[in-house]
Amino acid sequence: MGEAYDVQEIERRWQARWRDEGTYEVEADDPRPPFYSLCMYPYPSGAAHQGHVRNYTFGDLIVRHRTMGGYAVLSPMGFDSFGLPAENAAIRTGVHPRPFTDARIAELKESIERLGAVYDWRREVRSHDPGYIRWTQWIFLRFLEAGLAYRKQAPVNWCPGCQTVLANEQVLADGTCDRSGDMVVKRNLEQWFFKITDYADELLDDLDDLDWPERVKTMQRNWIGRSEGAEFDLAVADRDDAAGDRAIRVFTTRPDTSFGMTYVVLAPEHPLVGDLTTPDQRSAVEAFVAEVSTHSEVERQSAEGPINKRGVFTGSCAINPFNDQLVPVYLADYVLTGYGTGAIMAVPAEDQRDWDFAEAYDLPIVRTVAPPDGWVGQAYTGDGPAINSRWLDGMEKAEAITAAIDWLEERGIGQRKVNFRLRDWLLSRQRFWGCPIPVIYCPEHGAVPVPDDQLPVLAPDDVEFRPTGESPLRSHEGFLRTTCPVCGQVAIRETDTMDTFVDSSWYYLRFADPHNTEAPFDPAVVAHWLPVDQYIGGIEHAILHLMYARFFTKALADLGVAPKALREPFARLFTQGMIRMGGSKMSKSKGNLVAPAKYFDTVGADALRLFHLFVGPPVDDFDWSEQTDEVIDGCARFLNRVWRLAMGEVAPVSGATAPAGDLARAVHAFVAKVSDDYDRWSYNTVVAACMELTNLLYKHVQAGGDTDIAEGMDALLLVMAPMAPHVTAELWERRHPGEHIHAQSWPTFDPALAAALRETMIVQVDGKVRDRIEVGAGLDEAEMQRLALASTKVQAALGGASPTKVVARPPKLINLVT
RNA sequence: GCCCGGGUGGCGGAAUCGGCCAGACGCGGAGGGCUUAAACCCCUCUGGUCCUCAUGGACCAUGUGGGUUCGAAUCCCACCCCGGGCACCA
């Protein structure tokens, strides 16, 4: 009996070797071509869960595969260590968030290492390190100088549960907080914003060239929500008071339908409401505005149908500049103050919302685009010739839009206008455990940036965490009181911290040059490694993190901090599927975690990794079920088979016969197939192919012949090396003393050898397979037909008839049609 | 409502360009071997229905119904179901 496969001992030993020998540490002057592989750095919530395991298994596989492919692979890891859970724990337990977070990081790091995932740990970045905070603040100040960071009073999304402001992106469609689930309410506060809208066009356009999942790109496009149209003024009719001097500015994407405008709608919060309301309508308008203000954003947006399209007439009319007709001015809750101009021209014939409102309020409907024959619907938004539109009549949609805008511009009434759904990024958070915003408020000089040489601004440690909902910074005199950098007078510090998405918007740049004390990073080093060649993470970051990181990259490049040419941070993105259990995402908060530790301690990391790779396509979600443990056991069983095979422990079986076919050809075909599978992320079929090859090698050994399986064995181990790194490293070293499998080149194959020497020609009669004939490569159609007709099975199927048609696809298939 | 995905054995999945009787590989299941016994390990079978003593064979089968084609899981049309995203953005 040979040596047992001691999983625990082998995995621990190789993990120590990779760490101690710095196997995956790289430098920018490495002569090999660079490859930057990155998994989204995790929020440290304690020991790894299966989602981490899956993510880092894919990431580690890429690192090892690319290294074997001849690249110098940058594989860094860090921790997104600021955030709410640590602060909430502090409030609960009184323990400062830092030791709490450091302990969670240690746990997570330990389980990542236990997985056998390899990183250049010298580059580790933690958001809460003073050395990282310093540069996050420094970047904020550069943005401030450039006008990309600004402060304004704004109605903000306030989460009562988290006691903080949220970004629009953090409010779910049902109006609840994406963290606590509480209903978000509106509040007016002075807040810091990043001007991400300056980059709206570029963020949209550059999506086209990214090798990202189409789904993620679509989500970003929708979020940016670019729409082209026109803005123009409508004069207020028959008023000699203040309102008469004003104009109502509207935004429309359909200026071609302007002749169909039958009323105008303002948002209830529109500044002209007071002026436009006539005395006899005042009480109705005031009642309406008051009622709308009591509705939350969500109630307002979730209202459905014409009944709920509530509105009120102001008593005033406006003049449609296209035909000089008077149109009534209404207020309605379906017009939003934050988009466009907060006022619209209503064209019920070509907009369903306007149609619904017009019907409810008995307003006229005039079609200005001829619907197709047989049209039975209400509003028609498709293409068609303009009608009832004087000089636009007969033009198609696109042409009419251009003509209408030209007309507006010639008369100085309006102009072409692009609007975006994207809003500026609100980054202020009323929390303690985040990166302090480096600003000082002076009674004389207002908001003054903290000078660079005073960075980082660090939160004090001697604070008390109380469940008051207020950041301890607000009541910490030592932190709060300071002096103005300009005049030296008493001043106070900003007590808000930054959204943690700020930290994660540039960490991938810091990884390239993590110990720089002169700058956040050296642009030359960043230019060497960036953009990230392969970024891997969850689909949940499709909008927020990925959009913010793209914005930061562009802004930093424009400010000369990052390389000018670096317009995008992540060249290729892969979003892995979620692990679900009982229909919902497996997560700590849902309490349905299946901890990896018990698998590490039994079947081992290699088996667990193999399972995650084998269970299905990486993009697909996976349902963890009662059967899952059995599948994992199956993976462990397979590794044991590989072990016994490689160690020469497989005994011949009496009566077994060697499988047909040349083993060398099978091995080359195997390498050809799996190399392709690796490139297209088809890891589940790689594992299947490895199992097949293992089974084939087994049969050769069991047959007891003199077939040498060494070449096949080596190819198998090399192909499996990125997937099951420990056992393959161990077996390789035993078979090739002094060698390290992960330093080997990826196996090559001979295409001629990989191609089958003989093909199996499929003979069909009327589309049904009737015979298979072994044929040599390169025979022609006539020969195929001759062979096919010679087959007794084919003759039987034909039943004496002769085919009326022959479809041949040399050399694999021939179909005889009767 | 709109926009993306996706429906294949008992289960996870495979089939890369429309072509090897669809179902690789694994899990589960059945039977057998090894063993005093069990575990481990090894071997065989395993989509359905039916015919045949058996070898073997027939028919059906990729959500449903049509269509294109010599040939469809794959392409087209309609519908059903599941998952995700967006949801008064003018």
Side-chain angles (χ1 to χ4, degrees), chain A residues 43-250:
Chain A
Y43 177 78
S45 54
H49 57 251
Q50 297 293 347
H52 291 123
V53 169
R54 194 165 190 207
N55 195 174
Y56 304 141
T57 294
F58 294 141
D60 191 54
L61 176 148
I62 301 258
V63 170
R64 294 176 186 272
H65 177 235
R66 290 287 175 171
T67 301
M68 292 174 80
Y71 291 88
V73 180
L74 177 61
S75 171
M77 178 52 80
F79 300 94
D80 185 16
S81 48
F82 273 136
L84 271 177
E87 188 165 349
N88 291 339
I91 292 168
R92 209 166 51 242
T93 64
V95 177
H96 192 280
R98 185 177 302 106
F100 175 87
T101 300
D102 287 343
R104 300 291 83 71
I105 289 176
E107 286 174 9
L108 181 51
K109 199 169 169 178
E110 205 278 326
S111 51
I112 290 172
E113 288 198 305
R114 186 61 192 84
L115 177 66
V118 284
Y119 302 98
D120 186 345
W121 282 109
R122 301 171 307 164
R123 296 172 184 267
E124 179 178 346
V125 160
R126 302 174 176 205
S127 306
H128 76 292
D129 277 345
Y132 192 76
I133 292 172
R134 175 187 177 190
W135 296 114
T136 304
Q137 293 174 337
W138 186 90
I139 289 169
F140 174 88
L141 295 176
R142 300 294 84 75
F143 279 22
L144 185 58
E145 286 165 4
L148 285 171
Y150 66 95
R151 194 164 174 259
K152 73 170 181 190
Q153 175 138 133
V156 294
N157 303 302
W158 175 266
C159 171
C162 303
Q163 287 287 327
T164 188
V165 163
L166 305 176
N168 285 336
E169 288 85 343
Q170 289 165 315
V171 182
L172 301 179
D174 63 357
T176 58
C177 169
D178 73 344
R179 267 196 176 280
S180 71
D182 286 290
M183 206 65 194
V184 174
V185 298
K186 287 281 174 194
R187 270 202 188 179
N188 266 315
L189 287 176
E190 282 279 318
Q191 303 286 314
W192 285 98
F193 290 83
F194 281 140
K195 226 168 172 208
I196 190 172
T197 52
D198 272 9
Y199 286 87
D201 264 319
E202 202 189 335
L203 286 168
L204 183 68
D205 293 345
D206 289 354
L207 284 171
D208 295 344
D209 300 324
L210 291 178
D211 187 2
W212 284 20
E214 210 45 53
R215 167 161 89 121
V216 175
K217 295 207 266 187
T218 303
M219 283 162 70
Q220 294 221 344
R221 285 190 188 106
N222 291 340
W223 192 264
I224 295 168
R226 183 181 199 274
S227 57
E228 281 181 45
E231 257 185 34
F232 63 95
D233 288 327
L234 301 170
V236 177
D238 298 329
R239 293 286 290 265
D240 41 19
D241 57 4
D245 303 331
R246 309 255 169 88
I248 301 170
R249 195 160 185 83
V250 296

Side-chain angles (χ1 to χ4, degrees), chain A residues 322-371:
Chain A
F322 284 81
N323 56 14
D324 294 325
Q325 282 186 2
L326 288 184
V327 288
V329 179
Y330 277 74
L331 306 186
D333 63 359
Y334 77 94
V335 173
L336 306 174
T337 187
Y339 184 79
T341 61
I344 61 158
M345 67 167 196
V347 185
E350 278 93 32
D351 183 295
Q352 190 60 42
R353 291 158 305 178
D354 295 346
W355 179 290
D356 294 339
F357 190 87
E359 286 205 321
Y361 289 84
D362 207 20
L363 292 157
I365 296 171
V366 178
R367 286 203 190 273
T368 55
V369 177

Side-chain angles (χ1 to χ4, degrees), chain A residues 623-639:
Chain A
D623 279 300
W624 197 278
S625 71
E626 311 79 51
Q627 213 188 40
T628 300
D629 276 359
E630 288 162 344
V631 180
I632 296 172
D633 286 343
C635 290
R637 243 189 326 266
F638 166 65
L639 291 177

Side-chain angles (χ1 to χ4, degrees), chain A residues 336-555:
Chain A
L336 306 174
T337 187
Y339 184 79
T341 61
I344 61 158
M345 67 167 196
V347 185
E350 278 93 32
D351 183 295
Q352 190 60 42
R353 291 158 305 178
D354 295 346
W355 179 290
D356 294 339
F357 190 87
E359 286 205 321
Y361 289 84
D362 207 20
L363 292 157
I365 296 171
V366 178
R367 286 203 190 273
T368 55
V369 177
D373 288 344
W375 174 257
V376 289
Q378 301 179 327
Y380 175 69
T381 56
D383 207 348
I387 53 172
N388 301 321
S389 299
R390 300 189 194 170
W391 45 270
L392 287 175
D393 281 352
M395 292 186 199
E396 295 292 314
K397 190 166 158 181
E399 187 190 356
I401 288 173
T402 306
I405 295 173
D406 289 346
W407 185 89
L408 286 167
E409 289 184 340
E410 279 162 23
R411 279 155 190 76
I413 306 169
Q415 62 277 131
R416 195 172 305 276
K417 173 78 181 177
V418 175
N419 265 318
F420 293 94
R421 214 187 80 110
L422 183 72
R423 303 299 151 80
D424 279 338
W425 172 10
L426 195 166
L427 66 115
S428 301
R429 295 293 181 273
Q430 292 68 48
R431 304 302 305 200
F432 172 82
W433 193 236
C435 180
I437 295 173
V439 169
I440 291 167
Y441 298 101
C442 170
E444 197 171 324
H445 296 97
V448 180
V450 173
D452 286 0
D453 61 10
Q454 291 176 25
L455 299 180
V457 175
L458 297 174
D461 281 350
D462 56 334
V463 292
E464 215 183 318
F465 292 92
R466 283 171 304 186
T468 57
E470 196 170 69
S471 165
L473 292 179
R474 299 203 85 141
S475 50
H476 191 284
E477 290 293 314
F479 178 79
L480 203 57
R481 306 261 170 235
T482 184
T483 53
C484 171
V486 179
C487 64
Q489 289 186 46
V490 173
I492 58 164
R493 285 190 190 278
E494 167 71 66
T495 56
D496 283 357
T497 54
M498 299 185 207
D499 182 0
T500 55
F501 277 113
V502 178
D503 306 312
S504 57
S505 289
W506 74 281
Y507 77 102
Y508 50 90
L509 296 163
R510 182 72 176 173
F511 275 146
D513 189 18
H515 305 297
N516 199 323
T517 54
E518 304 301 313
F521 43 79
D522 178 349
V525 180
V526 163
H528 176 74
W529 291 111
L530 277 279
V532 173
D533 294 284
Q534 183 66 64
Y535 199 34
I536 309 169
I539 187 75
E540 66 271 21
H541 292 111
I543 298 174
L544 303 184
H545 162 58
L546 291 169
M547 185 88 77
Y548 293 152
R550 295 179 64 221
F551 159 61
F552 257 58
T553 299
K554 292 174 189 302

Side-chain angles (χ1 to χ4, degrees), chain A residues 659-678:
Chain A
D662 179 20
L663 181 58
R665 287 184 178 278
V667 171
H668 281 254
F670 162 78
V671 174
K673 178 200 160 49
V674 296
S675 297
D676 182 44
D677 285 356
Y678 259 95

Side-chain angles (χ1 to χ4, degrees), chain A residues 597-610:
Chain A
K598 72 170 191 177
Y599 301 102
F600 292 154
D601 294 341
T602 54
V603 294
D606 280 339
L608 187 61
R609 292 167 62 119
L610 206 63

